[in-house]
Amino acid sequence: FLGKENRLDLLEIASEGPPKPTGVSIALAGRPSEMAWEGNTLLAVVSTGDSYAFQAWDVSDVRKPRPIGSLAGVEQLFDVDGRRAYVSRREDPGKDVTYLIPDITRPNETVKVEGFYVTHGVKGAGELAYVLWTPVPTAKNKPTITALDVSGKGSPYVVGETEGPYASRGALAGDRLYLWGDAWGLSILDMSDSSHPRLLSEPLRGSGSVSVSTMDIDDSVAFLVDGT
């Protein structure tokens, strides 16, 4: 699916040649800002001026997408991990709150992830989730990486925490958590013991500041998309 103004278009990708339109589209009330496709569920954050919504469709038959639910106020999709999704939702002016959606086929059923002042990102890892956040700014407070247990039906709880470099993006590969901070560069943490995350490397800086919009890891290679 390709996001366009007010719609999502289904494309057919062949082994050779460019993608081909199929004529299948999903009409939207606004512009899709983020998308994810997990199993038979298609997800999108849709912006309509000053309002946002998180929407889900059943695409088990990709040529007949079927809407299955939505959640108003979601401005950012942090991550999708299996059936779980992590999103940021605007509740009050100037206040964004992180939510766990335990089952993406029921997006209106949520669990609030509380205790984080400014959340920059969340990466899911099965029954764990890693939150990249910044406490209330003071001379003593530093950016923090917190490991949460999300296995139960109740609120997630902290199982480990460490100070770390400022990070706006993160990617997981095995027990390694790769973090990117636009002004700091790339850092690597060992998460094999989630109760004691350990910084393996100081930030690897390039020349100047790079604004990264997307980050992913494949084997030993990090892929960064410059968002400037």
Side-chain angles (χ1 to χ4, degrees):
F1 282 91
L2 177 66
K4 293 188 175 182
E5 193 70 31
N6 298 321
R7 71 181 196 269
L8 303 176
D9 290 343
L10 178 65
L11 302 180
E12 182 178 353
I13 300 176
S15 57
E16 297 181 1
K20 298 178 181 178
T22 62
V24 176
S25 292
I26 300 175
L28 303 175
R31 179 179 180 273
S33 58
E34 294 180 271
M35 295 171 54
W37 190 345
E38 183 71 27
N40 290 325
T41 307
L42 179 68
L43 308 167
V45 176
V46 179
S47 169
T48 54
D50 294 331
S51 63
Y52 292 80
F54 178 75
Q55 297 181 308
W57 296 265
D58 181 339
V59 290
S60 51
D61 182 347
V62 294
R63 296 183 180 275
K64 296 181 180 179
R66 180 175 60 87
I68 53 177
S70 64
L71 180 63
V74 172
E75 295 188 351
Q76 187 172 1
L77 173 60
F78 286 132
D79 194 25
V80 179
D81 180 43
R83 297 182 73 86
R84 297 184 179 98
Y86 301 88
V87 301
S88 177
R89 187 183 188 192
R90 178 63 57 92
E91 293 198 332
D92 298 306
K95 182 181 180 181
D96 295 329
V97 179
T98 301
Y99 279 85
L100 160 64
I101 300 175
D103 186 342
I104 56 177
T105 65
R106 298 194 295 271
N108 60 329
E109 299 177 12
T110 62
V111 177
K112 185 181 289 188
V113 182
E114 299 186 275
F116 303 104
Y117 182 69
V118 177
T119 301
H120 306 292
V122 182
K123 296 303 295 181
E127 295 185 346
L128 295 173
Y130 303 116
V131 183
L132 320 176
W133 66 291
T134 303
V136 177
T138 69
K140 295 182 179 180
N141 286 341
K142 295 182 179 180
T144 304
I145 296 94
T146 298
L148 298 177
D149 187 311
V150 296
S151 61
K153 294 184 178 180
S155 298
Y157 61 89
V158 175
V159 295
E161 196 166 79
T162 187
E163 291 183 350
Y166 169 79
S168 57
R169 294 289 183 269
L172 276 168
D175 293 329
R176 302 292 172 89
L177 177 61
Y178 296 80
L179 303 176
W180 178 267
D182 292 344
W184 297 94
L186 183 67
S187 304
I188 306 173
L189 279 83
D190 180 357
M191 309 300 291
S192 55
D193 182 355
S194 58
S195 61
H196 296 91
R198 184 168 59 92
L199 186 66
L200 294 179
S201 72
E202 293 300 320
L204 304 174
R205 294 179 176 85
S207 57
S209 177
V210 177
S211 178
V212 170
S213 61
T214 305
M215 177 179 177
D216 201 2
I217 302 292
D218 184 9
D219 195 10
S220 58
V221 180
F223 295 89
L224 309 174
V225 177
D226 189 344
T228 56

